[in-house]
Amino acid sequence: MIAGNVRLMGVCWLACTSIVPLLAQDCHLALRGKIMDADTREPLGYASVVIEGAGRGAVADANGVFAIANLCEGTTYTVTVRHVECDHQTQIIRLVENTALEFFLHHHVLQEVQVVEKAVAPAPAQAAVASAGSELAAAQGVNLGEALKRLPGVSVLNTGATIAKPVVQGLHSNRIALVANNVALEGQQWGAEHAPEIDPFTAQRISVVKGASGVRYGVGAMAGAIVLEPAPLRAQEGFGGWISLGGFSNGRAGVASAAVDWKKPGGTLAVRLQGTAKRSGNLTTPDYYLENTGASELNFSALAGWKKSAWTHEIAASRFSQRIGILRAAHIGNLTDLQRAIESPAPLNNDDVFSYEIKRPYQQVQHYTGRYRAVWRLSERWKVSGQYALQFNDRQEYDVVRQSGSAADKPQLSFRLWTNTLDLALEHFPINHWEGGIGVQGIQQTNLVGRGGLIPDYNTAGGSVWVLERWRRFPYPLEFEFGARYDYRQTGATTSGSLNNVDTLVQFGSLSGTAGIVYHAHKNVSITLNTGLAWRPPHVNELFARGVHHGAGTYEEGRPDLLAEKAWNTNLTIQYQAGQTSLTLTAYRNQIANFIYLDPQRTFVLTSRGAFPAYFYAQADAVLQGIDAGMSVPIALGFSAEARASVLRGYRLARDSGETTTHHDWLPLMPADRFQYGARWTANARRETGDAGAETGETYVQIMATTALRQTRIPEQGLLKDAPPAFTLWSMEAGHTFRLGKTGRMLDVGLTIQNLGNARYREYLNFFRLFTDEPGTNVGVRAKLSF
């Protein structure tokens, strides 16, 4: 049946691709609008308006009025407005009739170039995908991994059913920069079971930048970056906000999130407060409940911005608090029981009942972030910006306690990580069509291990200097980007219990570089080529770990002699966009010297805390290469065919003793080939209903299948348990938007069904696939009121 699905998918892909040139669209609508100053409401003449990715644009007249004709009905467009003296503004619209918009731009601070660890950020000349709108809303109530795994080239590394972290083109953890609200996350993210401490509800858009991004985001971005972009602060005076509620059948979960925005009358101060609460109980597979798989969250964030003369100030703070249950059946007391558990088709010692109680083993994580950013506009061409950010990550991991005593109330592992970063940048706006800047960054970290000793206490200090320039001249079809960066890191670690007595001092420093070109071959076709050099020093856990990694249920050992990784990454992307038709194809090759990976030892280690599979850190030259593809093609009557594919080959290069030739062996824990395919129906009918004066907005229904092939490319020595068989899952999403009268309020409602057929399956990238199946059907409902 799997082979049949794959063949059917291939036939659909070829058929849909072949009919693209035959499709004709009714593109007769126009986008009109006016551009004004946000403070004075005076027209801004001669501003530029660009429809991103479509090669279409216009220049406003002296009164700020513009028009772009011959656009397609029902199409979603990303419209960006720029004025030489103002912040740019981007708005996503779905054209349902001749549309008129008003744009209000702020003077004196141009934020088109933003410093994010820390480089100027025009649209990167790299492969990039994004999740926004209804697609993001459907996944926000689950976790960040669920919001991202629908995108081509992005998969998820799981530890059980409650912990997920993103994998971009085969790489994860310290090789991906996670940037939320202009701050790169610095937590204990090195562990496979350390989920990102990020609330997806804080983001209006989540972008995934693929490929070597060290110049832009630092040494943590060897595989790319995941950037969560919040909605801009309120531009109009007064109050606004939204309330979102959701419920899910599997785990009987509930989530509530809300935000309120306020702008001071007659002033420039704007403030946002946001919070999220979430609770879920034991999840269920098609055959049984999973004991101790509940979770709870309580998160808060605040953001404020104000302007005075040539200065702009922004201050932000957030608190993320999460408690996650760990599958009890994954923590085994002895070697015999561990072997029995791996061979059993169902988890052993599993209480097959529903409960909201979270017992040992579990994780308790809190992450605090605070930042202050200031921008000083020196002239029409130059600005200086600076940002200070403080982060504190407090992680406690509670294992099963098999003996009574004082340990029954204490965590078995405890980590506290403080991070200070300071960024300064001098940037310029277009000068002879070049824009960019130069900057420096400093970082200081202190990690204290309160209990457990899996890794030692350590101090890290470092600095970097970067330069990045971008050339673009609209409508000239070529754009260029060049950049370089140097980073230095010094880490002192100790096992003596005091950082005043450093046992080991390691130092690393290296260059990163990037070169990219964007060629707009046609108004509907763009080609992007990027090549970059990135590097990453080994983390403390890779150097010095020795012991039980609690959440993953593994025994790990590091290697103090590990060298820094150095990667040469090349991405080639071809994109076709015409109305509602879009086709994207990305081919990539990432060649990494001294690649560090966890090597399964195919044996067990018995400790005082139980028996665990052994994983040792190893190092070898490696190559990761593959193809990501996606398409959306309208058919008729509001229906469109959609498909995505991710194919990856990851192998390590080896040279036998005494031989001069090299051969390759497959890398462990690489994503299996994955294909998504289905159909979407969209209606844009609008009508007034009843006395309430409500009118309907977009309605959509989407049915998708996901086929993951069996991972046959595994190390020659095999695995503890064979890779799981291929599987196909079906899912459904539906949504509708109500516009409530003439008040400007909107109500979005939605329905999602995951694993529609309640299929029994196991994911190759789930550490707990040794013990249990994945969750079964999950029905979710959501509603969001914007006011």
Side-chain angles (χ1 to χ4, degrees):
M1 180 177 179
I2 299 300
N5 283 329
V6 175
R7 287 195 296 270
L8 177 60
M9 182 210 68
V11 172
C12 292
W13 181 286
L14 291 174
C16 292
T17 304
S18 64
I19 65 173
V20 170
L22 304 179
L23 294 174
Q25 292 183 318
D26 186 14
C27 299
H28 64 282
L29 301 185
L31 173 64
R32 296 179 173 85
K34 187 174 183 178
I35 305 165
M36 292 173 283
D37 186 284
D39 299 316
T40 66
R41 297 300 193 267
E42 294 180 355
L44 291 176
Y46 311 110
S48 64
V49 184
V50 177
I51 298 180
E52 304 290 349
R56 305 291 302 279
V59 177
D61 62 18
N63 297 316
V65 177
F66 70 91
I68 304 175
N70 300 323
L71 300 179
C72 302
E73 184 174 7
T75 300
T76 298
Y77 293 107
T78 300
V79 182
T80 299
V81 179
R82 295 181 175 89
H83 189 272
V84 68
E85 298 177 351
C86 302
D87 302 348
H88 83 288
Q89 187 178 126
T90 298
Q91 186 170 336
I92 300 174
I93 66 167
R94 195 170 191 87
L95 203 60
V96 295
E97 59 183 18
N98 288 321
T99 301
L101 299 175
E102 289 184 339
F103 290 89
F104 296 93
L105 305 188
H106 292 275
H107 260 69
H108 299 304
V109 180
L110 185 62
Q111 293 179 341
E112 179 184 359
V113 180
Q114 294 185 356
V115 179
V116 184
E117 197 183 330
K118 290 309 184 221
V120 288
Q126 293 176 256
V129 291
S131 179
S134 60
E135 186 175 31
L136 177 58
Q140 278 178 319
V142 185
N143 55 51
L144 181 63
E146 182 65 30
L148 293 171
K149 73 178 184 180
R150 309 171 184 208
L151 301 174
V154 183
S155 52
V156 174
L157 182 67
N158 292 96
T159 303
T162 53
I163 300 175
K165 63 191 315 176
V167 180
V168 177
Q169 294 180 344
L171 300 176
H172 59 85
S173 301
N174 284 5
R175 299 181 181 96
I176 300 175
L178 297 171
V179 182
N181 196 15
N182 215 37
V183 176
L185 181 69
E186 295 286 347
Q188 305 284 352
Q189 71 263 35
W190 41 264
E193 89 293 7
H194 295 179
E197 295 92 355
I198 292 177
D199 181 2
F201 279 100
T202 61
Q204 183 186 53
R205 176 184 175 90
I206 302 179
S207 302
V208 180
V209 180
K210 304 176 186 178
S213 302
V215 172
R216 193 178 304 276
Y217 301 107
V219 295
M222 194 170 73
I226 296 173
V227 183
L228 288 85
E229 306 169 34
L233 289 170
R234 185 176 178 85
Q236 291 80 29
E237 297 177 354
F239 284 91
W242 52 265
I243 300 173
S244 179
L245 301 174
F248 302 89
S249 63
N250 203 329
R252 305 179 194 178
V255 59
S257 187
V260 60
D261 286 85
W262 172 75
K263 185 172 184 181
K264 182 180 179 181
T268 60
L269 174 65
V271 179
R272 172 182 300 137
L273 301 176
Q274 185 270 338
T276 300
K278 180 179 177 181
R279 181 71 185 273
S280 63
N282 287 347
L283 300 170
T284 178
T285 72
D287 300 313
Y288 46 82
Y289 282 102
L290 297 169
E291 181 186 3
N292 202 46
T293 52
S296 63
E297 284 184 22
L298 187 60
N299 311 318
F300 301 99
S301 65
L303 177 65
W306 67 98
K307 297 192 302 181
K308 185 176 182 181
S309 186
W311 286 86
T312 297
H313 306 270
E314 193 171 82
I315 187 169
S318 66
R319 172 187 181 267
F320 179 93
S321 179
Q322 184 181 60
R323 187 174 183 178
I324 306 175
I326 305 296
L327 180 69
R328 175 65 177 83
H331 286 241
I332 312 298
N334 58 70
L335 294 173
T336 301
D337 288 346
L338 178 58
Q339 187 64 51
R340 286 179 54 239
I342 292 175
E343 295 174 353
S344 174
L348 302 179
N349 303 319
N350 181 55
D351 191 1
D352 187 14
V353 297
F354 178 81
S355 173
Y356 282 107
E357 184 181 5
I358 300 176
K359 303 175 291 185
R360 290 173 179 262
Y362 69 88
Q363 297 180 0
Q364 180 72 48
V365 183
Q366 297 187 70
H367 191 88
Y368 299 87
T369 302
R371 72 172 176 91
Y372 167 71
R373 183 169 187 262
V375 180
W376 179 28
R377 183 70 179 264
L378 298 174
S379 67
E380 292 184 359
R381 297 292 186 185
W382 294 91
K383 73 171 183 178
V384 175
S385 62
Q387 176 173 291
Y388 167 74
L390 168 66
Q391 298 180 66
F392 173 58
N393 185 274
D394 186 6
R395 167 178 289 271
Q396 296 180 332
E397 302 184 355
Y398 296 78
D399 206 344
V400 175
V401 177
R402 295 181 171 85
Q403 297 179 352
S404 60
S406 61
D409 298 325
K410 296 180 180 179
Q412 274 59 54
L413 289 174
S414 176
F415 308 100
R416 289 170 292 164
L417 177 66
W418 288 266
T419 303
N420 295 273
T421 55
L422 179 64
D423 298 272
L424 298 172
L426 173 64
E427 301 161 87
H428 67 87
F429 310 123
I431 300 176
N432 294 327
H433 309 293
W434 287 93
E435 62 179 315
I438 186 171
V440 296
Q441 179 194 43
I443 184 171
Q444 185 276 328
Q445 287 186 323
T446 298
N447 183 87
L448 298 179
V449 181
R451 295 178 62 87
L454 173 64
I455 62 173
D457 295 344
Y458 67 87
N459 272 324
T460 293
S464 62
V465 57
W466 58 262
V467 60
L468 188 66
E469 290 289 335
R470 178 75 172 254
W471 185 93
R472 48 185 171 176
R473 179 184 177 185
F474 185 82
Y476 191 73
L478 288 175
E479 299 180 29
F480 304 95
E481 181 179 87
F482 303 96
R485 178 182 179 120
Y486 179 82
D487 288 272
Y488 171 80
R489 292 289 185 275
Q490 175 180 288
T491 297
T494 180
T495 57
S496 65
S498 172
L499 285 172
N500 294 322
N501 299 311
V502 174
D503 299 329
T504 305
L505 182 67
V506 292
Q507 302 176 70
F508 299 94
S510 189
L511 282 168
S512 302
T514 185
I517 181 172
V518 180
Y519 175 50
H520 302 282
H522 183 268
K523 67 177 182 179
N524 299 325
V525 179
S526 64
I527 301 173
T528 301
L529 175 64
N530 176 272
T531 187
L533 179 67
W535 75 286
R536 182 185 73 91
H539 195 270
V540 171
N541 68 299
E542 295 165 329
L543 293 167
F544 306 118
R546 189 178 183 89
V548 176
H549 203 155
H550 161 263
T554 59
Y555 177 88
E556 297 180 8
E557 285 191 11
R559 278 182 49 182
D561 61 342
L562 292 176
L563 303 175
E565 294 180 339
K566 294 186 178 181
W568 180 23
N569 185 286
T570 300
N571 278 261
L572 174 65
T573 299
I574 302 174
Q575 185 172 22
Y576 173 83
Q577 179 78 48
Q580 295 178 331
T581 300
S582 65
L583 299 171
T584 303
L585 177 67
T586 297
Y588 62 91
R589 177 181 173 87
N590 197 357
Q591 187 161 339
I592 306 174
N594 306 318
F595 180 69
I596 302 170
Y597 60 96
L598 268 177
D599 190 18
Q601 298 302 297
R602 291 154 292 277
T603 187
F604 309 119
V605 174
L606 181 62
T607 73
S608 60
R609 294 166 60 185
F612 300 91
Y615 289 79
F616 293 171
Y617 282 99
Q619 190 165 53
D621 294 344
V623 173
L624 288 84
Q625 57 190 13
I627 293 175
D628 300 331
M631 78 166 194
S632 179
V633 178
I635 302 174
L637 302 176
F639 285 92
S640 61
E642 300 194 358
R644 304 166 194 134
S646 298
V647 177
L648 169 67
R649 301 291 180 265
Y651 53 90
R652 51 190 169 187
L653 302 174
R655 182 176 287 112
D656 293 333
S657 177
E659 294 187 6
T660 59
T661 59
T662 59
H663 66 279
H664 72 262
D665 185 20
W666 299 112
L667 284 167
L669 302 177
M670 289 289 110
D673 296 343
R674 187 174 295 261
F675 306 91
Q676 301 177 54
Y677 45 97
R680 181 184 179 101
W681 174 78
T682 304
N684 294 298
R686 301 176 66 181
R687 66 181 186 276
E688 293 192 356
T689 59
D691 296 334
E695 58 180 30
T696 63
E698 180 188 70
T699 302
Y700 76 94
V701 178
Q702 178 176 280
I703 297 179
M704 296 289 289
T706 299
T707 295
L709 303 185
R710 183 176 186 178
Q711 180 58 283
T712 59
R713 293 166 296 279
I714 61 177
E716 292 179 355
Q717 297 180 10
L719 303 171
L720 280 173
K721 188 171 185 176
D722 290 341
F727 60 84
T728 295
L729 303 179
W730 290 89
S731 64
M732 189 193 80
E733 292 181 13
H736 182 71
T737 301
F738 294 94
R739 303 178 188 275
L740 304 181
K742 299 180 180 180
T743 63
R745 297 176 182 174
M746 299 181 66
L747 177 64
D748 293 291
V749 295
L751 169 71
T752 61
I753 305 178
Q754 298 169 308
N755 195 357
L756 186 61
N758 204 28
R760 185 186 298 109
Y761 71 103
R762 299 194 182 194
E763 286 274 11
Y764 175 69
L765 288 186
N766 192 333
F767 275 84
F768 286 178
R769 70 175 180 83
L770 301 177
F771 310 107
T772 181
D773 296 329
E774 299 288 339
T777 300
N778 187 17
V779 180
V781 294
R782 70 181 190 278
K784 180 178 180 180
L785 175 65
S786 302
F787 55 90

Short mmCIF file of all heavy atoms in Angstrom, two decimals, residues 236-270:
data_model
loop_
_atom_site.label_atom_id
_atom_site.label_comp_id
_atom_site.label_asym_id
_atom_site.label_seq_id
_atom_site.Cartn_x
_atom_site.Cartn_y
_atom_site.Cartn_z
N GLN A 236 -1.95 52.73 15.44
CA GLN A 236 -3.01 53.68 15.74
C GLN A 236 -3.14 53.87 17.25
O GLN A 236 -2.86 52.97 18.04
CB GLN A 236 -4.35 53.20 15.16
CG GLN A 236 -4.42 53.24 13.65
CD GLN A 236 -3.72 52.05 13.00
OE1 GLN A 236 -3.67 50.98 13.58
NE2 GLN A 236 -3.20 52.25 11.80
N GLU A 237 -3.61 55.03 17.63
CA GLU A 237 -3.81 55.30 19.05
C GLU A 237 -4.94 54.43 19.61
O GLU A 237 -5.87 54.05 18.90
CB GLU A 237 -4.17 56.78 19.26
CG GLU A 237 -3.07 57.73 18.83
CD GLU A 237 -3.49 59.19 18.98
OE1 GLU A 237 -4.67 59.42 19.31
OE2 GLU A 237 -2.64 60.07 18.77
N GLY A 238 -4.83 54.09 20.90
CA GLY A 238 -5.89 53.33 21.56
C GLY A 238 -5.48 51.89 21.82
O GLY A 238 -4.29 51.55 21.87
N PHE A 239 -6.53 51.02 22.02
CA PHE A 239 -6.33 49.64 22.42
C PHE A 239 -6.67 48.69 21.27
O PHE A 239 -7.47 49.00 20.39
CB PHE A 239 -7.19 49.29 23.63
CG PHE A 239 -6.68 49.84 24.92
CD1 PHE A 239 -7.10 51.09 25.37
CD2 PHE A 239 -5.79 49.11 25.70
CE1 PHE A 239 -6.63 51.61 26.57
CE2 PHE A 239 -5.32 49.62 26.89
CZ PHE A 239 -5.74 50.86 27.32
N GLY A 240 -6.08 47.51 21.31
CA GLY A 240 -6.39 46.42 20.40
C GLY A 240 -5.80 45.14 20.96
O GLY A 240 -5.14 45.13 21.99
N GLY A 241 -6.03 44.04 20.27
CA GLY A 241 -5.47 42.79 20.73
C GLY A 241 -6.20 41.59 20.17
O GLY A 241 -6.96 41.69 19.21
N TRP A 242 -6.00 40.46 20.81
CA TRP A 242 -6.64 39.22 20.38
C TRP A 242 -6.70 38.23 21.53
O TRP A 242 -5.93 38.30 22.49
CB TRP A 242 -5.92 38.59 19.18
CG TRP A 242 -4.43 38.40 19.35
CD1 TRP A 242 -3.45 39.26 18.96
CD2 TRP A 242 -3.76 37.30 19.99
NE1 TRP A 242 -2.21 38.76 19.29
CE2 TRP A 242 -2.37 37.56 19.91
CE3 TRP A 242 -4.20 36.13 20.60
CZ2 TRP A 242 -1.42 36.68 20.44
CZ3 TRP A 242 -3.25 35.24 21.12
CH2 TRP A 242 -1.89 35.53 21.03
N ILE A 243 -7.62 37.27 21.42
CA ILE A 243 -7.78 36.17 22.36
C ILE A 243 -7.89 34.89 21.55
O ILE A 243 -8.70 34.82 20.62
CB ILE A 243 -9.01 36.34 23.26
CG1 ILE A 243 -8.92 37.64 24.07
CG2 ILE A 243 -9.18 35.15 24.19
CD1 ILE A 243 -10.17 37.95 24.85
N SER A 244 -7.11 33.88 21.90
CA SER A 244 -7.11 32.61 21.17
C SER A 244 -7.35 31.47 22.15
O SER A 244 -6.70 31.40 23.20
CB SER A 244 -5.79 32.40 20.44
OG SER A 244 -5.77 31.18 19.75
N LEU A 245 -8.28 30.57 21.81
CA LEU A 245 -8.60 29.39 22.62
C LEU A 245 -8.51 28.16 21.74
O LEU A 245 -8.85 28.19 20.56
CB LEU A 245 -9.99 29.50 23.22
CG LEU A 245 -10.28 30.70 24.13
CD1 LEU A 245 -11.74 30.72 24.53
CD2 LEU A 245 -9.39 30.65 25.37
N GLY A 246 -8.04 27.06 22.32
CA GLY A 246 -7.94 25.82 21.56
C GLY A 246 -8.10 24.61 22.45
O GLY A 246 -7.82 24.66 23.66
N GLY A 247 -8.59 23.53 21.87
CA GLY A 247 -8.74 22.27 22.59
C GLY A 247 -8.37 21.11 21.68
O GLY A 247 -8.56 21.16 20.47
N PHE A 248 -7.80 20.03 22.28
CA PHE A 248 -7.34 18.88 21.52
C PHE A 248 -7.80 17.60 22.21
O PHE A 248 -7.75 17.49 23.45
CB PHE A 248 -5.81 18.89 21.40
CG PHE A 248 -5.27 20.13 20.76
CD1 PHE A 248 -4.95 21.25 21.53
CD2 PHE A 248 -5.09 20.19 19.39
CE1 PHE A 248 -4.46 22.40 20.94
CE2 PHE A 248 -4.60 21.34 18.79
CZ PHE A 248 -4.29 22.44 19.56
N SER A 249 -8.24 16.64 21.40
CA SER A 249 -8.80 15.41 21.95
C SER A 249 -7.74 14.50 22.55
O SER A 249 -7.96 13.90 23.61
CB SER A 249 -9.59 14.67 20.87
OG SER A 249 -8.73 14.25 19.81
N ASN A 250 -6.59 14.36 21.89
CA ASN A 250 -5.55 13.47 22.38
C ASN A 250 -4.79 14.17 23.49
O ASN A 250 -4.09 15.17 23.28
CB ASN A 250 -4.60 13.09 21.24
CG ASN A 250 -3.87 11.79 21.52
OD1 ASN A 250 -3.60 11.46 22.67
ND2 ASN A 250 -3.57 11.05 20.46
N GLY A 251 -4.91 13.65 24.67
CA GLY A 251 -4.35 14.30 25.84
C GLY A 251 -5.32 15.24 26.52
O GLY A 251 -5.00 15.83 27.55
N ARG A 252 -6.52 15.39 25.91
CA ARG A 252 -7.55 16.28 26.47
C ARG A 252 -6.92 17.62 26.85
O ARG A 252 -7.05 18.13 27.97
CB ARG A 252 -8.22 15.63 27.68
CG ARG A 252 -8.81 14.25 27.37
CD ARG A 252 -9.43 13.60 28.58
NE ARG A 252 -9.69 12.18 28.34
CZ ARG A 252 -10.20 11.33 29.23
NH1 ARG A 252 -10.51 11.77 30.44
NH2 ARG A 252 -10.38 10.07 28.92
N ALA A 253 -6.25 18.18 25.87
CA ALA A 253 -5.44 19.39 26.10
C ALA A 253 -6.26 20.65 25.86
O ALA A 253 -7.19 20.67 25.04
CB ALA A 253 -4.22 19.39 25.19
N GLY A 254 -5.90 21.69 26.57
CA GLY A 254 -6.48 23.00 26.37
C GLY A 254 -5.40 24.05 26.37
O GLY A 254 -4.39 23.94 27.08
N VAL A 255 -5.58 25.10 25.56
CA VAL A 255 -4.61 26.18 25.47
C VAL A 255 -5.36 27.50 25.34
O VAL A 255 -6.37 27.58 24.65
CB VAL A 255 -3.63 25.98 24.30
CG1 VAL A 255 -4.37 25.91 22.98
CG2 VAL A 255 -2.56 27.06 24.28
N ALA A 256 -4.87 28.50 26.03
CA ALA A 256 -5.44 29.85 25.95
C ALA A 256 -4.29 30.84 25.84
O ALA A 256 -3.30 30.75 26.58
CB ALA A 256 -6.30 30.16 27.17
N SER A 257 -4.43 31.76 24.90
CA SER A 257 -3.40 32.78 24.72
C SER A 257 -4.09 34.09 24.37
O SER A 257 -5.14 34.10 23.73
CB SER A 257 -2.43 32.38 23.59
OG SER A 257 -1.34 33.28 23.52
N ALA A 258 -3.50 35.20 24.82
CA ALA A 258 -4.11 36.51 24.57
C ALA A 258 -3.02 37.57 24.56
O ALA A 258 -1.94 37.41 25.15
CB ALA A 258 -5.15 36.84 25.64
N ALA A 259 -3.32 38.65 23.86
CA ALA A 259 -2.40 39.80 23.80
C ALA A 259 -3.22 41.07 23.74
O ALA A 259 -4.31 41.09 23.15
CB ALA A 259 -1.47 39.70 22.60
N VAL A 260 -2.71 42.12 24.36
CA VAL A 260 -3.35 43.42 24.28
C VAL A 260 -2.30 44.46 23.90
O VAL A 260 -1.17 44.43 24.41
CB VAL A 260 -4.02 43.80 25.63
CG1 VAL A 260 -3.01 43.84 26.76
CG2 VAL A 260 -4.77 45.11 25.50
N ASP A 261 -2.64 45.31 22.93
CA ASP A 261 -1.76 46.37 22.46
C ASP A 261 -2.36 47.73 22.81
O ASP A 261 -3.58 47.91 22.75
CB ASP A 261 -1.57 46.29 20.95
CG ASP A 261 -0.67 45.15 20.54
OD1 ASP A 261 -1.17 44.02 20.39
OD2 ASP A 261 0.53 45.38 20.37
N TRP A 262 -1.48 48.67 23.14
CA TRP A 262 -1.94 50.02 23.48
C TRP A 262 -0.91 51.02 22.95
O TRP A 262 0.30 50.81 23.06
CB TRP A 262 -2.07 50.18 24.99
CG TRP A 262 -2.35 51.60 25.42
CD1 TRP A 262 -3.52 52.28 25.32
CD2 TRP A 262 -1.42 52.50 26.05
NE1 TRP A 262 -3.39 53.54 25.83
CE2 TRP A 262 -2.11 53.71 26.29
CE3 TRP A 262 -0.08 52.40 26.43
CZ2 TRP A 262 -1.51 54.80 26.89
CZ3 TRP A 262 0.53 53.47 27.03
CH2 TRP A 262 -0.19 54.67 27.26
N LYS A 263 -1.43 52.09 22.35
CA LYS A 263 -0.57 53.20 21.94
C LYS A 263 -1.07 54.47 22.60
O LYS A 263 -2.26 54.78 22.55
CB LYS A 263 -0.55 53.37 20.42
CG LYS A 263 0.45 54.44 19.99
CD LYS A 263 0.64 54.51 18.49
CE LYS A 263 1.71 55.54 18.14
NZ LYS A 263 1.90 55.66 16.68
N LYS A 264 -0.14 55.20 23.18
CA LYS A 264 -0.47 56.41 23.93
C LYS A 264 -1.06 57.47 23.01
O LYS A 264 -0.48 57.78 21.97
CB LYS A 264 0.78 56.94 24.61
CG LYS A 264 0.54 58.18 25.46
CD LYS A 264 1.84 58.65 26.09
CE LYS A 264 1.61 59.92 26.92
NZ LYS A 264 2.88 60.40 27.53
N PRO A 265 -2.21 58.04 23.37
CA PRO A 265 -2.79 59.11 22.55
C PRO A 265 -1.84 60.30 22.47
O PRO A 265 -1.30 60.76 23.49
CB PRO A 265 -4.08 59.46 23.29
CG PRO A 265 -4.41 58.24 24.07
CD PRO A 265 -3.10 57.65 24.48
N GLY A 266 -1.64 60.78 21.26
CA GLY A 266 -0.81 61.95 21.07
C GLY A 266 0.68 61.72 21.24
O GLY A 266 1.47 62.66 21.20
N GLY A 267 1.09 60.46 21.44
CA GLY A 267 2.51 60.18 21.63
C GLY A 267 2.97 59.04 20.76
O GLY A 267 2.25 58.55 19.90
N THR A 268 4.21 58.63 21.00
CA THR A 268 4.79 57.56 20.19
C THR A 268 5.00 56.28 20.99
O THR A 268 5.51 55.31 20.45
CB THR A 268 6.13 58.02 19.62
OG1 THR A 268 7.04 58.34 20.69
CG2 THR A 268 5.95 59.22 18.72
N LEU A 269 4.65 56.26 22.28
CA LEU A 269 4.81 55.07 23.10
C LEU A 269 3.77 54.02 22.73
O LEU A 269 2.58 54.32 22.67
CB LEU A 269 4.69 55.41 24.58
CG LEU A 269 4.70 54.23 25.56
CD1 LEU A 269 6.05 53.50 25.52
CD2 LEU A 269 4.37 54.69 26.97
N ALA A 270 4.23 52.78 22.49
CA ALA A 270 3.34 51.65 22.20
C ALA A 270 3.77 50.47 23.07
O ALA A 270 4.97 50.24 23.25
CB ALA A 270 3.37 51.27 20.73
#
